[in-house]
Amino acid sequence: MTEEQLLGPRAHGGPCGSAVLKAVAEDFQVDEVLDIPLSGEGEHLWLWVEKRNLNTEEAARRIARAAGVPLRSISYAGLKDRQALTRQWFSLHLPGKADPVLDKAEDETLKILETRRHQRKLQRGAHSANGFTLRLTQLDADRGELEACLERIKAQGVPNYFGLQRFGFEGSNVHGAREYAERQELPVQRNLRSRLLSAGRSYLFNRVLAERVGNGSWRQAQVGDLLAFTDSRSFFPAGEAECLDPRLAILDLHPTGPLWGAGESPASGEVQVLEAEAVAAEPAIAKWLAEAGMKHERRILRLPIGGLSWHYPGPDILQLEFVLPTGCFATAVVRELVSLAGQTDI
């Protein structure tokens, strides 16, 4: 499957040129934003960990082995990219135990930067955002077009597509989801089941968003839409008054699209028709998701870019810094600017 089939059209007229991302781990840096004051005491040891070219699950396994505790004692807020330099929190449940020596977990790919005690474990999804520092190298782009596109993105946000990494190489996860959906079966392996269900649901969302980008309504509320605030999972219907809410203009409130599950879309009117037609091309996946017990949820269509700034460390290097809500993809920002030459899986 091609990028266009998996993601959909760009919104800002790009790309303005080409570049390389992730030539080295330091080109893609992620810092977890966690607004939880740690007390300094309790039976949970929290670790602020820096990882280089190491995925979150492997880091958890190494920490568990070094601490001499079962893997189920390790918690983290979310998964971070493997091909990157990332910093995130982990917690270890150590009731009645002293802080373990964790030297054996550390090497050039994993460093423990800070440890703190707390009364509670780290819950999945507890982080409020992720901060990104991205360095685009081998940049070949018109500087004027690039600057204009960056200003538009700063003011308007970008379509909140699920990134290519959600779908596997050349859409392999979507192909897998289709195969199971056509048989109306679920993979026995828990990790595979979770990955394919997520890919199927993400693909249907991207189809709906692609339609909204195509008709220009991805950042405009319509009567019948379901609206949500940037950091909220709840949503409410849009009537004529809600479509005039000034919080839409400041990128605090957004129209949403479906994360498919049981039941019809709670949207109404033309919005519901558009969503139903977009999903109708994949009826087996839609039915499969519903019968797998997935609940119908919503995801904002527009991705606001917090604190976006940029500079040029070299003549062919563009460095971007910004903050995104959890569950959103930094590559959605990059895609509006440049094409990533020879890179199809990030």
Side-chain angles (χ1 to χ4, degrees):
M1 300 182 74
T2 66
E3 178 181 308
E4 283 292 305
Q5 289 173 320
L6 291 168
L7 273 66
R10 293 173 171 85
H12 293 288
C16 304
S18 64
V20 171
L21 180 60
K22 297 188 179 182
V24 295
E26 285 75 10
D27 289 346
F28 196 101
Q29 299 187 39
V30 188
D31 286 87
E32 203 168 65
V33 179
L34 192 71
D35 298 326
I36 298 176
L38 302 180
S39 65
E41 58 184 27
E43 60 184 33
H44 298 272
L45 179 65
W46 289 44
L47 312 174
W48 180 235
V49 174
E50 181 179 270
K51 313 187 323 308
R52 178 180 280 99
N53 291 329
L54 185 69
N55 68 37
T56 301
E57 289 136 325
E58 178 57 26
R61 285 191 288 268
R62 284 171 52 175
I63 293 168
R65 284 196 299 267
V69 300
L71 184 59
R72 64 177 179 274
S73 298
I74 310 294
S75 301
Y76 46 84
L79 300 174
K80 298 291 182 286
D81 297 77
R82 180 189 64 80
Q83 191 182 347
L85 178 65
T86 66
R87 286 167 284 269
Q88 70 177 112
W89 286 98
F90 292 79
S91 73
L92 290 73
H93 189 206
L94 300 169
K97 297 180 181 179
D99 290 3
V101 177
L102 298 172
D103 295 355
K104 291 183 178 179
E106 296 186 276
D107 60 15
E108 69 279 0
T109 67
L110 189 153
K111 301 291 182 185
I112 298 173
L113 305 179
E114 182 183 348
T115 63
R116 294 286 300 276
R117 285 275 181 165
H118 193 53
Q119 291 94 342
R120 297 182 178 180
K121 78 172 187 178
L122 177 57
Q123 301 285 346
R124 291 298 291 267
H127 57 312
S128 59
N130 289 302
F132 293 88
T133 300
L134 306 187
R135 191 164 54 202
L136 294 165
T137 59
Q138 300 180 42
L139 177 68
D140 181 11
D142 182 276
R143 185 74 65 92
E145 289 182 12
L146 203 56
E147 292 285 328
C149 190
L150 282 162
E151 293 292 351
R152 287 195 298 274
I153 286 172
K154 189 173 185 177
Q156 300 175 10
V158 300
N160 193 20
Y161 289 118
F162 285 98
L164 289 177
Q165 57 268 56
R166 175 61 58 92
F167 304 114
F169 181 67
E170 295 184 344
S172 59
N173 290 338
V174 177
H175 292 305
R178 277 202 191 111
E179 290 174 3
Y180 277 96
E182 286 168 1
R183 301 194 302 266
Q184 288 299 301
E185 297 176 356
L186 288 171
V188 175
Q189 288 180 288
R190 181 178 177 182
N191 287 346
L192 178 61
R193 180 168 66 249
S194 176
R195 185 169 77 247
L196 297 188
L197 287 170
S198 178
R201 204 148 83 133
S202 301
Y203 177 57
L204 295 189
F205 173 87
N206 277 7
R207 288 188 64 88
V208 172
L209 178 52
E211 290 295 323
R212 297 284 295 253
V213 173
N215 68 23
S217 68
W218 64 280
R219 61 189 184 91
Q220 300 167 348
Q222 302 178 166
V223 174
D225 254 325
L226 297 162
L227 306 181
F229 292 98
T230 301
D231 298 318
S232 174
R233 294 183 180 180
S234 61
F235 52 86
F236 58 91
E240 292 184 6
E242 287 77 13
C243 290
L244 300 175
D245 193 311
R247 291 171 293 187
L248 287 160
I250 60 172
L251 279 67
D252 188 27
L253 183 64
H254 315 274
T256 65
L259 294 174
W260 211 261
E264 293 185 357
S265 165
S268 61
E270 294 182 3
V271 175
Q272 186 185 48
V273 171
L274 181 147
E275 293 183 3
E277 289 178 347
V279 171
E282 298 285 351
I285 292 180
K287 180 182 177 184
W288 181 63
L289 292 169
E291 296 192 353
M294 307 296 286
K295 295 182 179 178
H296 192 105
E297 298 174 303
R298 306 294 292 186
R299 174 181 169 92
I300 57 175
L301 296 178
R302 178 176 59 177
L303 177 55
I305 318 300
L308 176 61
S309 64
W310 62 89
H311 68 282
Y312 302 88
D316 64 345
I317 301 172
L318 170 62
Q319 182 163 312
L320 306 169
E321 296 181 8
F322 52 87
V323 177
L324 298 182
T326 57
C328 299
F329 288 76
T331 48
V333 181
V334 175
R335 183 173 183 262
E336 292 293 328
L337 295 168
V338 295
S339 61
L340 298 176
Q343 297 176 277
T344 61
D345 60 345
I346 61 174

